[in-house]
Amino acid sequence: MSDHTSEPAAAPDTSGLPGPVRLRVAPSPTGDPHVGTAYMSLFNLAFARQQGGRFLLRIEDTDRARFREDSEQQVFDTLRWLGLGWDEGPDVGGPCAPYRQSERLTTYRPYVERLLADGHAYRCWCSTERLAEMRADQQACKQPTGYDRLCLGKSEEERRALPGFSETPVVRMRVPDDVDLAFEDLIRGRLTAPRPDDQVILKADGFPTYHLAVVVDDHEMGITHVVRGEEWISSTPKHVLLYRWLGLTPPAFAHMPLLRNENKSKISKRKNPEARLTWFEEQGYLPEALVNFLGLLAYPPAQDADGNDVEVFGFEDFVARFDWREVNPVGPIFDLKKLDWLNGVHLRALEPQDFTSRLLPFLQRDGVLGAAPSLGELGRLEQVAALIQTRIAHLTEATELVAPFYVADDAVEVAADARAQLKDDAPAVLDAAADALAALPDEHEGLLGSEPTFRAEAIEAALRGAVVDGLGIKPKFAFGPLRTAVSGRRVSPPLFESMEILGKTSTLARLAALRATL
């Protein structure tokens, strides 16, 4: 094998690319985006922003067998939902376009030809059947699996004379026996990986494999730091080899720990719904809560003046204190209970109007409100939202609490568990409450423009007098039938405030409707 290396034809000058550092995330559009894409994007973007650099999104779509057309748009949508935007990419352009590997096929060929000419790569005509038999034999003999170099040094004619020939060859890199397997990692220090076999770098369909494409693209896009999961540690010596053979300067490497379940297994989309990035939006998580959560994975929280952990923070806080040396290489546990807690904290911190606007899409999705709600419906939603903001941990939980405020008074559906907890005194409670509320002034009795008089304070005083004092029922039991009548649920927003929002007429109608069924 020749030791000669030279630059590939028309090698790009990357010195003029913007940004003192350039980082990228490069997902494959093979299904719903993995939560790991957001995890990697957060750490890449944090460092890029801290250093005043650039963050790129590249779509690695060379796996045509698993390619899914809608997946790319899901990547765009979910990362933007999280606020993890990019400076260059397929949809925004940039100086290194195109940013889809399938649109860069002519880019890779000169690099392959240079590797072939320098003896660092060779064509392989082995059929898939022959390779499968080879691996089976190696496994049966308990040998390491890897290509046996049958095609190395043979012409097409020489190889054709042997069994297991395929008309369309692949190209393999020729890994030397004395390959250097050590490299420096920003997180883990000096690492040593297992010796690779002669990896395929160009497939029979003309598409490059990940190993070639990632080296070429990262070089041509001026990537200074490659941040990826620890599963790629074993591939890094191959990539360092390719950089060396092509006369290119390798980037710095940082291999992030993998996200793990509580049983320490790797999170997978096949087994874990939360591995799908789209799942979090569907389940009513706030994007800022998920970013906060991802920032706590593999990274220590800040501490306040008293030495207490500060676990609630925003993206800018994370950027300000980011340091690769602080990343914990041990695989973090993906604790959904922690995420639920964070989501509740972030929900309660929203401004009322913001919280209301976040609820609206979920209420529309569930049919509580239409596509174009009226001003009156939106006004009522603001009132109801104020009652439930401290009572939910996910936006999806709002539907059950809000829906009773948008149904006809005679159409309130009483849940089975709510009806089952009604006691024998429920009719008396409903009758006494109805009489007490009927005696209150109407909503706007008095001068035009006066304050409404059917208010929570007056409602509470009237009901306590009629039910607690009048019937002698303990407060914790007194209002169950009224809650059921108003909302149809055992658990609802605060009762007296709910009655105020509904108004006197609707409240009395709902009490009467439940009373009629007892």
Side-chain angles (χ1 to χ4, degrees):
M1 179 178 64
S2 168
D3 290 331
H4 170 72
T5 59
S6 59
E7 289 286 337
D13 177 10
T14 59
S15 60
L17 293 174
V21 298
R22 292 173 61 82
L23 293 91
R24 51 74 174 170
V25 67
S28 298
T30 56
D32 289 354
H34 194 282
V35 66
T37 298
Y39 169 60
M40 294 300 166
S41 296
L42 172 62
F43 282 78
N44 274 281
L45 181 60
F47 184 68
R49 292 291 175 262
Q50 183 191 72
Q51 302 296 316
R54 304 271 282 187
F55 176 54
L56 286 65
L57 173 63
R58 186 171 71 226
I59 298 296
E60 298 192 343
D61 57 350
T62 57
D63 187 347
R64 304 312 288 179
R66 297 171 59 216
F67 173 78
R68 238 181 62 183
E69 195 164 343
D70 61 334
S71 183
E72 180 182 295
Q73 189 61 48
Q74 287 183 331
V75 170
F76 297 160
D77 293 343
T78 49
L79 290 182
R80 283 208 172 94
W81 172 68
L82 288 168
L84 303 176
W86 47 97
D87 305 303
E88 302 173 27
D91 57 335
V92 298
C96 302
Y99 292 89
R100 292 183 187 90
Q101 285 185 339
S102 61
E103 297 173 2
R104 298 173 59 82
L105 296 186
T106 57
T107 303
Y108 309 112
R109 182 64 69 171
Y111 291 88
V112 174
E113 295 300 330
R114 177 60 61 192
L115 292 170
L116 287 167
D118 289 346
H120 295 305
Y122 60 95
R123 291 183 173 85
C124 171
W125 290 272
C126 289
S127 66
T128 54
E129 294 79 12
R130 195 253 157 192
L131 293 173
E133 291 175 7
M134 177 197 72
R135 291 190 202 95
D137 290 342
Q138 290 170 338
Q139 290 169 349
C141 297
K142 296 183 179 180
Q143 296 176 350
T145 56
Y147 184 59
D148 60 4
R149 291 183 164 176
L150 177 64
C151 294
L152 179 61
K154 292 183 176 64
S155 65
E156 180 177 351
E157 291 72 23
E158 290 170 332
R159 179 60 185 85
R160 187 184 293 273
L162 300 175
F165 179 84
S166 172
E167 291 290 340
T168 309
V170 300
V171 176
R172 293 181 180 272
M173 58 188 296
R174 182 183 179 182
V175 178
D177 295 334
D178 58 348
V179 60
D180 185 2
L181 301 174
F183 63 94
E184 293 295 327
D185 187 275
L186 292 173
I187 296 171
R188 302 162 189 270
R190 191 158 183 81
L191 291 178
T192 301
R195 185 185 187 281
D197 71 337
D198 287 3
Q199 176 71 47
V200 173
I201 56 174
L202 190 71
K203 294 180 284 188
D205 60 6
F207 279 72
T209 64
Y210 170 82
H211 303 287
L212 176 70
V214 74
V215 167
V216 171
D217 288 341
D218 284 345
H219 165 65
E220 295 211 346
M221 295 181 184
I223 300 301
T224 59
H225 296 71
V226 169
V227 183
R228 56 191 178 189
E230 65 180 276
E231 69 268 33
W232 295 108
I233 288 176
S234 62
S235 297
T236 304
K238 305 173 193 176
H239 303 163
V240 173
L241 261 182
L242 289 170
Y243 277 106
R244 184 188 309 154
W245 289 342
L246 294 167
L248 310 176
T249 301
F253 293 99
H255 289 91
M256 294 289 295
L258 295 179
L259 304 179
R260 302 194 181 278
N261 296 303
E262 291 186 7
N263 64 3
K264 305 299 177 66
S265 64
K266 178 183 175 182
I267 287 183
S268 70
K269 290 190 289 185
R270 187 170 58 85
K271 296 180 179 179
N272 309 101
E274 67 271 19
R276 293 189 302 109
L277 194 48
T278 52
W279 181 84
F280 297 93
E281 187 172 8
E282 294 165 1
Q283 297 300 310
Y285 288 98
L286 296 181
E288 52 265 57
L290 182 54
V291 167
N292 187 167
F293 177 69
L294 294 173
L296 286 170
L297 298 177
Y299 204 83
Q303 292 191 324
D304 62 19
D306 298 323
N308 300 311
D309 288 346
V310 180
E311 295 191 312
V312 180
F313 52 81
F315 175 70
E316 295 303 326
D317 302 317
F318 187 67
V319 168
R321 62 187 184 87
F322 186 77
D323 187 334
W324 290 116
R325 294 170 296 183
E326 293 294 320
V327 177
N328 188 342
V330 178
I333 301 299
F334 204 88
D335 183 359
L336 283 177
K337 294 187 181 68
K338 184 65 165 285
L339 176 56
D340 289 342
W341 172 75
L342 281 170
N343 203 56
V345 172
H346 282 275
L347 275 173
R348 292 188 289 276
L350 293 176
E351 292 296 323
Q353 191 171 5
D354 188 9
F355 176 66
T356 302
S357 68
R358 308 266 192 133
L359 291 179
L360 187 57
F362 291 90
L363 299 172
Q364 291 172 318
R365 183 189 72 180
D366 295 340
V368 175
L369 289 169
S374 67
L375 290 177
E377 288 174 326
L378 293 175
R380 172 167 285 195
L381 178 57
E382 289 183 6
Q383 293 178 296
V384 178
L387 300 185
I388 69 171
Q389 187 166 1
T390 61
R391 292 170 173 255
I392 63 174
H394 303 88
L395 293 172
T396 49
E397 296 170 9
T399 291
E400 187 170 352
L401 297 172
V402 174
F405 291 89
Y406 292 93
V407 297
D409 298 325
D410 59 356
V412 175
E413 188 175 329
V414 178
D417 64 339
R419 188 177 291 278
Q421 57 92 38
L422 294 174
K423 297 181 172 56
D424 293 341
D425 59 8
V429 170
L430 291 167
D431 289 339
D435 291 341
L437 295 178
L440 291 177
D442 291 337
E443 281 91 339
H444 284 280
E445 192 171 272
L447 296 174
L448 183 64
S450 62
E451 285 293 313
T453 53
F454 194 71
R455 302 297 296 267
E457 298 84 354
I459 294 168
E460 180 177 3
L463 292 177
R464 288 189 180 277
V467 180
V468 178
D469 300 334
L471 299 180
I473 302 176
K474 292 181 179 180
K476 69 176 182 178
F477 300 117
F479 304 121
L482 308 182
R483 189 181 306 281
T484 299
V486 168
S487 69
R489 302 287 185 268
R490 288 185 63 183
V491 179
S492 72
L495 176 62
F496 313 120
E497 288 80 358
S498 296
M499 289 180 168
E500 178 183 327
I501 292 172
L502 288 168
K504 181 177 177 180
T505 302
S506 285
T507 297
L508 289 173
R510 293 185 182 208
L511 296 182
L514 179 61
R515 178 66 180 86
T517 68
L518 301 179

